[in-house]
PDB file of all heavy atoms in Angstrom:
ATOM      1  N   VAL A   8     104.749 102.832  94.770  1.00  0.00           N
ATOM      2  CA  VAL A   8     104.186 103.537  93.656  1.00  0.00           C
ATOM      3  C   VAL A   8     104.536 104.962  93.704  1.00  0.00           C
ATOM      4  O   VAL A   8     104.225 105.703  94.682  1.00  0.00           O
ATOM      5  CB  VAL A   8     102.617 103.409  93.652  1.00  0.00           C
ATOM      6  CG1 VAL A   8     101.997 104.187  92.465  1.00  0.00           C
ATOM      7  CG2 VAL A   8     102.194 101.916  93.625  1.00  0.00           C
ATOM      8  N   GLU A   9     105.261 105.442  92.650  1.00  0.00           N
ATOM      9  CA  GLU A   9     105.693 106.771  92.545  1.00  0.00           C
ATOM     10  C   GLU A   9     104.694 107.706  91.823  1.00  0.00           C
ATOM     11  O   GLU A   9     103.898 107.219  90.991  1.00  0.00           O
ATOM     12  CB  GLU A   9     107.063 106.936  91.810  1.00  0.00           C
ATOM     13  CG  GLU A   9     108.181 106.095  92.340  1.00  0.00           C
ATOM     14  CD  GLU A   9     108.416 104.850  91.627  1.00  0.00           C
ATOM     15  OE1 GLU A   9     107.424 104.303  90.965  1.00  0.00           O
ATOM     16  OE2 GLU A   9     109.540 104.340  91.610  1.00  0.00           O
ATOM     17  N   SER A  10     104.767 108.968  92.127  1.00  0.00           N
ATOM     18  CA  SER A  10     103.891 109.949  91.523  1.00  0.00           C
ATOM     19  C   SER A  10     104.583 111.269  91.537  1.00  0.00           C
ATOM     20  O   SER A  10     105.556 111.489  92.330  1.00  0.00           O
ATOM     21  CB  SER A  10     102.530 110.051  92.095  1.00  0.00           C
ATOM     22  OG  SER A  10     102.648 110.414  93.465  1.00  0.00           O
ATOM     23  N   GLY A  11     104.256 112.218  90.645  1.00  0.00           N
ATOM     24  CA  GLY A  11     104.730 113.593  90.768  1.00  0.00           C
ATOM     25  C   GLY A  11     105.690 113.939  89.669  1.00  0.00           C
ATOM     26  O   GLY A  11     106.169 115.134  89.675  1.00  0.00           O
ATOM     27  N   GLY A  12     106.108 113.034  88.772  1.00  0.00           N
ATOM     28  CA  GLY A  12     106.976 113.402  87.766  1.00  0.00           C
ATOM     29  C   GLY A  12     106.336 114.376  86.723  1.00  0.00           C
ATOM     30  O   GLY A  12     105.158 114.607  86.720  1.00  0.00           O
ATOM     31  N   GLY A  13     107.151 114.820  85.776  1.00  0.00           N
ATOM     32  CA  GLY A  13     106.612 115.621  84.692  1.00  0.00           C
ATOM     33  C   GLY A  13     107.690 116.429  84.051  1.00  0.00           C
ATOM     34  O   GLY A  13     108.896 116.230  84.170  1.00  0.00           O
ATOM     35  N   LEU A  14     107.257 117.470  83.298  1.00  0.00           N
ATOM     36  CA  LEU A  14     108.141 118.354  82.610  1.00  0.00           C
ATOM     37  C   LEU A  14     108.167 119.733  83.300  1.00  0.00           C
ATOM     38  O   LEU A  14     107.119 120.217  83.675  1.00  0.00           O
ATOM     39  CB  LEU A  14     107.601 118.586  81.152  1.00  0.00           C
ATOM     40  CG  LEU A  14     108.230 119.733  80.354  1.00  0.00           C
ATOM     41  CD1 LEU A  14     109.720 119.248  79.983  1.00  0.00           C
ATOM     42  CD2 LEU A  14     107.446 119.911  78.990  1.00  0.00           C
ATOM     43  N   VAL A  15     109.386 120.172  83.457  1.00  0.00           N
ATOM     44  CA  VAL A  15     109.591 121.472  84.216  1.00  0.00           C
ATOM     45  C   VAL A  15     110.741 122.203  83.530  1.00  0.00           C
ATOM     46  O   VAL A  15     111.638 121.581  82.961  1.00  0.00           O
ATOM     47  CB  VAL A  15     109.860 121.205  85.688  1.00  0.00           C
ATOM     48  CG1 VAL A  15     111.157 120.421  85.896  1.00  0.00           C
ATOM     49  CG2 VAL A  15     109.882 122.472  86.500  1.00  0.00           C
ATOM     50  N   GLN A  16     110.683 123.504  83.631  1.00  0.00           N
ATOM     51  CA  GLN A  16     111.750 124.354  83.060  1.00  0.00           C
ATOM     52  C   GLN A  16     112.974 124.355  83.997  1.00  0.00           C
ATOM     53  O   GLN A  16     112.783 124.187  85.245  1.00  0.00           O
ATOM     54  CB  GLN A  16     111.241 125.742  82.784  1.00  0.00           C
ATOM     55  CG  GLN A  16     110.199 125.863  81.741  1.00  0.00           C
ATOM     56  CD  GLN A  16     109.832 127.305  81.376  1.00  0.00           C
ATOM     57  OE1 GLN A  16     110.148 128.235  82.172  1.00  0.00           O
ATOM     58  NE2 GLN A  16     109.266 127.500  80.267  1.00  0.00           N
ATOM     59  N   PRO A  17     114.161 124.646  83.432  1.00  0.00           N
ATOM     60  CA  PRO A  17     115.267 124.788  84.333  1.00  0.00           C
ATOM     61  C   PRO A  17     115.068 125.800  85.341  1.00  0.00           C
ATOM     62  O   PRO A  17     114.526 126.868  85.133  1.00  0.00           O
ATOM     63  CB  PRO A  17     116.375 125.147  83.314  1.00  0.00           C
ATOM     64  CG  PRO A  17     115.968 124.520  82.025  1.00  0.00           C
ATOM     65  CD  PRO A  17     114.482 124.680  82.023  1.00  0.00           C
ATOM     66  N   GLY A  18     115.507 125.487  86.581  1.00  0.00           N
ATOM     67  CA  GLY A  18     115.290 126.382  87.771  1.00  0.00           C
ATOM     68  C   GLY A  18     113.949 126.112  88.494  1.00  0.00           C
ATOM     69  O   GLY A  18     113.792 126.652  89.568  1.00  0.00           O
ATOM     70  N   GLY A  19     113.110 125.256  87.874  1.00  0.00           N
ATOM     71  CA  GLY A  19     111.863 124.997  88.499  1.00  0.00           C
ATOM     72  C   GLY A  19     111.946 123.853  89.565  1.00  0.00           C
ATOM     73  O   GLY A  19     112.992 123.409  89.915  1.00  0.00           O
ATOM     74  N   SER A  20     110.793 123.577  90.072  1.00  0.00           N
ATOM     75  CA  SER A  20     110.681 122.601  91.187  1.00  0.00           C
ATOM     76  C   SER A  20     109.682 121.491  90.908  1.00  0.00           C
ATOM     77  O   SER A  20     108.673 121.723  90.149  1.00  0.00           O
ATOM     78  CB  SER A  20     110.282 123.286  92.459  1.00  0.00           C
ATOM     79  OG  SER A  20     111.174 124.219  92.881  1.00  0.00           O
ATOM     80  N   LEU A  21     109.895 120.360  91.450  1.00  0.00           N
ATOM     81  CA  LEU A  21     108.963 119.234  91.373  1.00  0.00           C
ATOM     82  C   LEU A  21     109.058 118.469  92.725  1.00  0.00           C
ATOM     83  O   LEU A  21     110.078 118.467  93.303  1.00  0.00           O
ATOM     84  CB  LEU A  21     109.260 118.241  90.245  1.00  0.00           C
ATOM     85  CG  LEU A  21     108.837 118.509  88.853  1.00  0.00           C
ATOM     86  CD1 LEU A  21     109.355 117.476  87.869  1.00  0.00           C
ATOM     87  CD2 LEU A  21     107.257 118.671  88.744  1.00  0.00           C
ATOM     88  N   ARG A  22     107.919 117.896  92.996  1.00  0.00           N
ATOM     89  CA  ARG A  22     107.884 117.005  94.263  1.00  0.00           C
ATOM     90  C   ARG A  22     107.469 115.615  93.838  1.00  0.00           C
ATOM     91  O   ARG A  22     106.414 115.425  93.256  1.00  0.00           O
ATOM     92  CB  ARG A  22     107.004 117.601  95.281  1.00  0.00           C
ATOM     93  CG  ARG A  22     106.892 116.790  96.582  1.00  0.00           C
ATOM     94  CD  ARG A  22     105.976 117.404  97.583  1.00  0.00           C
ATOM     95  NE  ARG A  22     105.881 116.734  98.797  1.00  0.00           N
ATOM     96  CZ  ARG A  22     106.733 116.773  99.867  1.00  0.00           C
ATOM     97  NH1 ARG A  22     107.756 117.563  99.760  1.00  0.00           N
ATOM     98  NH2 ARG A  22     106.579 116.025 100.955  1.00  0.00           N
ATOM     99  N   LEU A  23     108.321 114.627  94.123  1.00  0.00           N
ATOM    100  CA  LEU A  23     107.982 113.255  93.853  1.00  0.00           C
ATOM    101  C   LEU A  23     107.518 112.600  95.242  1.00  0.00           C
ATOM    102  O   LEU A  23     107.978 112.940  96.253  1.00  0.00           O
ATOM    103  CB  LEU A  23     109.215 112.449  93.345  1.00  0.00           C
ATOM    104  CG  LEU A  23     109.910 113.049  92.166  1.00  0.00           C
ATOM    105  CD1 LEU A  23     111.079 112.106  91.726  1.00  0.00           C
ATOM    106  CD2 LEU A  23     108.922 113.188  90.984  1.00  0.00           C
ATOM    107  N   SER A  24     106.508 111.730  95.048  1.00  0.00           N
ATOM    108  CA  SER A  24     106.006 110.947  96.209  1.00  0.00           C
ATOM    109  C   SER A  24     106.114 109.488  95.935  1.00  0.00           C
ATOM    110  O   SER A  24     105.914 109.093  94.756  1.00  0.00           O
ATOM    111  CB  SER A  24     104.597 111.457  96.526  1.00  0.00           C
ATOM    112  OG  SER A  24     104.577 112.759  96.902  1.00  0.00           O
ATOM    113  N   CYS A  25     106.270 108.747  96.958  1.00  0.00           N
ATOM    114  CA  CYS A  25     106.277 107.292  96.793  1.00  0.00           C
ATOM    115  C   CYS A  25     105.425 106.656  97.941  1.00  0.00           C
ATOM    116  O   CYS A  25     105.789 106.946  99.141  1.00  0.00           O
ATOM    117  CB  CYS A  25     107.727 106.747  96.876  1.00  0.00           C
ATOM    118  SG  CYS A  25     107.804 104.921  96.902  1.00  0.00           S
ATOM    119  N   ALA A  26     104.418 105.810  97.618  1.00  0.00           N
ATOM    120  CA  ALA A  26     103.581 105.227  98.599  1.00  0.00           C
ATOM    121  C   ALA A  26     103.879 103.743  98.642  1.00  0.00           C
ATOM    122  O   ALA A  26     103.807 103.099  97.605  1.00  0.00           O
ATOM    123  CB  ALA A  26     102.152 105.518  98.249  1.00  0.00           C
ATOM    124  N   GLY A  27     104.272 103.248  99.788  1.00  0.00           N
ATOM    125  CA  GLY A  27     104.458 101.740  99.951  1.00  0.00           C
ATOM    126  C   GLY A  27     103.237 101.082 100.496  1.00  0.00           C
ATOM    127  O   GLY A  27     102.494 101.712 101.322  1.00  0.00           O
ATOM    128  N   SER A  28     102.996  99.870 100.100  1.00  0.00           N
ATOM    129  CA  SER A  28     101.894  99.120 100.553  1.00  0.00           C
ATOM    130  C   SER A  28     102.246  97.664 100.624  1.00  0.00           C
ATOM    131  O   SER A  28     103.255  97.208 100.021  1.00  0.00           O
ATOM    132  CB  SER A  28     100.673  99.314  99.622  1.00  0.00           C
ATOM    133  OG  SER A  28     100.930  98.876  98.327  1.00  0.00           O
ATOM    134  N   GLY A  29     101.511  96.865 101.379  1.00  0.00           N
ATOM    135  CA  GLY A  29     101.714  95.464 101.426  1.00  0.00           C
ATOM    136  C   GLY A  29     102.554  94.972 102.618  1.00  0.00           C
ATOM    137  O   GLY A  29     102.611  93.808 102.891  1.00  0.00           O
ATOM    138  N   ARG A  30     103.218  95.931 103.252  1.00  0.00           N
ATOM    139  CA  ARG A  30     104.036  95.585 104.484  1.00  0.00           C
ATOM    140  C   ARG A  30     104.448  96.890 105.064  1.00  0.00           C
ATOM    141  O   ARG A  30     104.366  97.976 104.530  1.00  0.00           O
ATOM    142  CB  ARG A  30     105.268  94.763 104.071  1.00  0.00           C
ATOM    143  CG  ARG A  30     106.314  95.601 103.265  1.00  0.00           C
ATOM    144  CD  ARG A  30     107.670  94.836 103.311  1.00  0.00           C
ATOM    145  NE  ARG A  30     108.104  94.745 104.714  1.00  0.00           N
ATOM    146  CZ  ARG A  30     108.738  93.692 105.131  1.00  0.00           C
ATOM    147  NH1 ARG A  30     108.936  92.668 104.386  1.00  0.00           N
ATOM    148  NH2 ARG A  30     109.132  93.696 106.465  1.00  0.00           N
ATOM    149  N   SER A  31     104.956  96.795 106.332  1.00  0.00           N
ATOM    150  CA  SER A  31     105.514  97.945 106.978  1.00  0.00           C
ATOM    151  C   SER A  31     107.029  98.091 106.534  1.00  0.00           C
ATOM    152  O   SER A  31     107.679  97.126 106.336  1.00  0.00           O
ATOM    153  CB  SER A  31     105.500  97.724 108.471  1.00  0.00           C
ATOM    154  OG  SER A  31     106.355  98.700 109.096  1.00  0.00           O
ATOM    155  N   PHE A  32     107.411  99.325 106.302  1.00  0.00           N
ATOM    156  CA  PHE A  32     108.816  99.550 105.882  1.00  0.00           C
ATOM    157  C   PHE A  32     109.652 100.072 107.086  1.00  0.00           C
ATOM    158  O   PHE A  32     110.700 100.711 106.904  1.00  0.00           O
ATOM    159  CB  PHE A  32     108.835 100.548 104.743  1.00  0.00           C
ATOM    160  CG  PHE A  32     108.261  99.959 103.445  1.00  0.00           C
ATOM    161  CD1 PHE A  32     106.966 100.033 103.085  1.00  0.00           C
ATOM    162  CD2 PHE A  32     109.098  99.180 102.645  1.00  0.00           C
ATOM    163  CE1 PHE A  32     106.452  99.508 101.971  1.00  0.00           C
ATOM    164  CE2 PHE A  32     108.661  98.566 101.470  1.00  0.00           C
ATOM    165  CZ  PHE A  32     107.305  98.767 101.125  1.00  0.00           C
ATOM    166  N   ASN A  33     109.137  99.872 108.272  1.00  0.00           N
ATOM    167  CA  ASN A  33     109.907 100.196 109.422  1.00  0.00           C
ATOM    168  C   ASN A  33     111.215  99.413 109.440  1.00  0.00           C
ATOM    169  O   ASN A  33     111.205  98.196 109.237  1.00  0.00           O
ATOM    170  CB  ASN A  33     109.135  99.838 110.714  1.00  0.00           C
ATOM    171  CG  ASN A  33     109.807 100.362 111.937  1.00  0.00           C
ATOM    172  OD1 ASN A  33     110.431 101.478 111.957  1.00  0.00           O
ATOM    173  ND2 ASN A  33     109.680  99.625 113.050  1.00  0.00           N
ATOM    174  N   GLY A  34     112.314 100.143 109.639  1.00  0.00           N
ATOM    175  CA  GLY A  34     113.627  99.481 109.523  1.00  0.00           C
ATOM    176  C   GLY A  34     114.266  99.435 108.180  1.00  0.00           C
ATOM    177  O   GLY A  34     115.461  99.220 108.044  1.00  0.00           O
ATOM    178  N   TYR A  35     113.484  99.754 107.173  1.00  0.00           N
ATOM    179  CA  TYR A  35     113.989  99.838 105.803  1.00  0.00           C
ATOM    180  C   TYR A  35     114.598 101.219 105.566  1.00  0.00           C
ATOM    181  O   TYR A  35     114.102 102.227 105.950  1.00  0.00           O
ATOM    182  CB  TYR A  35     112.837  99.579 104.817  1.00  0.00           C
ATOM    183  CG  TYR A  35     112.621  98.129 104.543  1.00  0.00           C
ATOM    184  CD1 TYR A  35     112.038  97.313 105.577  1.00  0.00           C
ATOM    185  CD2 TYR A  35     112.913  97.527 103.381  1.00  0.00           C
ATOM    186  CE1 TYR A  35     111.754  95.990 105.339  1.00  0.00           C
ATOM    187  CE2 TYR A  35     112.651  96.208 103.128  1.00  0.00           C
ATOM    188  CZ  TYR A  35     112.055  95.413 104.120  1.00  0.00           C
ATOM    189  OH  TYR A  35     111.851  94.079 103.899  1.00  0.00           O
ATOM    190  N   VAL A  36     115.709 101.234 104.821  1.00  0.00           N
ATOM    191  CA  VAL A  36     116.205 102.433 104.233  1.00  0.00           C
ATOM    192  C   VAL A  36     115.409 102.668 102.975  1.00  0.00           C
ATOM    193  O   VAL A  36     115.260 101.847 102.073  1.00  0.00           O
ATOM    194  CB  VAL A  36     117.658 102.311 103.905  1.00  0.00           C
ATOM    195  CG1 VAL A  36     118.174 103.613 103.189  1.00  0.00           C
ATOM    196  CG2 VAL A  36     118.547 102.023 105.133  1.00  0.00           C
ATOM    197  N   MET A  37     114.816 103.911 102.861  1.00  0.00           N
ATOM    198  CA  MET A  37     114.015 104.186 101.674  1.00  0.00           C
ATOM    199  C   MET A  37     114.765 105.312 100.957  1.00  0.00           C
ATOM    200  O   MET A  37     115.490 106.151 101.579  1.00  0.00           O
ATOM    201  CB  MET A  37     112.661 104.610 102.006  1.00  0.00           C
ATOM    202  CG  MET A  37     111.862 103.546 102.772  1.00  0.00           C
ATOM    203  SD  MET A  37     110.083 103.923 102.960  1.00  0.00           S
ATOM    204  CE  MET A  37     109.510 103.671 101.220  1.00  0.00           C
ATOM    205  N   GLY A  38     114.577 105.382  99.605  1.00  0.00           N
ATOM    206  CA  GLY A  38     115.324 106.379  98.875  1.00  0.00           C
ATOM    207  C   GLY A  38     114.889 106.477  97.470  1.00  0.00           C
ATOM    208  O   GLY A  38     113.875 105.842  97.047  1.00  0.00           O
ATOM    209  N   TRP A  39     115.660 107.312  96.732  1.00  0.00           N
ATOM    210  CA  TRP A  39     115.302 107.618  95.376  1.00  0.00           C
ATOM    211  C   TRP A  39     116.605 107.359  94.551  1.00  0.00           C
ATOM    212  O   TRP A  39     117.703 107.744  94.941  1.00  0.00           O
ATOM    213  CB  TRP A  39     114.881 109.083  95.190  1.00  0.00           C
ATOM    214  CG  TRP A  39     113.577 109.331  95.810  1.00  0.00           C
ATOM    215  CD1 TRP A  39     113.299 109.754  97.045  1.00  0.00           C
ATOM    216  CD2 TRP A  39     112.274 109.198  95.153  1.00  0.00           C
ATOM    217  NE1 TRP A  39     111.945 109.811  97.252  1.00  0.00           N
ATOM    218  CE2 TRP A  39     111.281 109.504  96.117  1.00  0.00           C
ATOM    219  CE3 TRP A  39     111.885 108.762  93.894  1.00  0.00           C
ATOM    220  CZ2 TRP A  39     109.940 109.464  95.878  1.00  0.00           C
ATOM    221  CZ3 TRP A  39     110.526 108.749  93.625  1.00  0.00           C
ATOM    222  CH2 TRP A  39     109.586 109.093  94.526  1.00  0.00           C
ATOM    223  N   TYR A  40     116.425 106.724  93.426  1.00  0.00           N
ATOM    224  CA  TYR A  40     117.415 106.572  92.418  1.00  0.00           C
ATOM    225  C   TYR A  40     116.996 107.143  91.103  1.00  0.00           C
ATOM    226  O   TYR A  40     115.800 107.402  90.944  1.00  0.00           O
ATOM    227  CB  TYR A  40     117.709 105.030  92.244  1.00  0.00           C
ATOM    228  CG  TYR A  40     118.427 104.378  93.376  1.00  0.00           C
ATOM    229  CD1 TYR A  40     117.847 104.159  94.603  1.00  0.00           C
ATOM    230  CD2 TYR A  40     119.808 103.973  93.256  1.00  0.00           C
ATOM    231  CE1 TYR A  40     118.492 103.620  95.694  1.00  0.00           C
ATOM    232  CE2 TYR A  40     120.466 103.355  94.351  1.00  0.00           C
ATOM    233  CZ  TYR A  40     119.801 103.181  95.582  1.00  0.00           C
ATOM    234  OH  TYR A  40     120.425 102.549  96.609  1.00  0.00           O
ATOM    235  N   ARG A  41     117.892 107.328  90.166  1.00  0.00           N
ATOM    236  CA  ARG A  41     117.477 107.830  88.901  1.00  0.00           C
ATOM    237  C   ARG A  41     118.294 107.182  87.799  1.00  0.00           C
ATOM    238  O   ARG A  41     119.498 106.771  88.054  1.00  0.00           O
ATOM    239  CB  ARG A  41     117.556 109.328  88.825  1.00  0.00           C
ATOM    240  CG  ARG A  41     118.936 109.856  88.936  1.00  0.00           C
ATOM    241  CD  ARG A  41     118.914 111.419  88.967  1.00  0.00           C
ATOM    242  NE  ARG A  41     120.214 112.028  89.066  1.00  0.00           N
ATOM    243  CZ  ARG A  41     120.419 113.355  89.284  1.00  0.00           C
ATOM    244  NH1 ARG A  41     119.396 114.164  89.369  1.00  0.00           N
ATOM    245  NH2 ARG A  41     121.728 113.768  89.274  1.00  0.00           N
ATOM    246  N   GLN A  42     117.715 107.124  86.586  1.00  0.00           N
ATOM    247  CA  GLN A  42     118.482 106.593  85.532  1.00  0.00           C
ATOM    248  C   GLN A  42     118.159 107.458  84.244  1.00  0.00           C
ATOM    249  O   GLN A  42     117.057 107.527  83.820  1.00  0.00           O
ATOM    250  CB  GLN A  42     118.016 105.123  85.220  1.00  0.00           C
ATOM    251  CG  GLN A  42     118.922 104.434  84.144  1.00  0.00           C
ATOM    252  CD  GLN A  42     118.683 102.952  84.119  1.00  0.00           C
ATOM    253  OE1 GLN A  42     117.761 102.386  84.734  1.00  0.00           O
ATOM    254  NE2 GLN A  42     119.725 102.228  83.479  1.00  0.00           N
TER     255      GLN A  42
END
């Protein structure tokens, strides 16, 4: 589950977070993609 998106002006900052549940992600490669 992602959170933290929104509207920001050029030059600004945002922080996205992703919380995993239902299993351990130890050993998994985690990352961010965009479209």
Side-chain angles (χ1 to χ4, degrees):
V8 179
E9 303 101 333
S10 61
L14 172 65
V15 64
Q16 292 187 343
S20 298
L21 278 177
R22 182 177 177 86
L23 305 182
S24 296
C25 173
S28 62
R30 68 160 302 140
S31 168
F32 291 93
N33 188 35
Y35 277 70
V36 178
M37 299 191 76
W39 292 91
Y40 288 70
R41 66 186 181 186
Q42 188 167 17

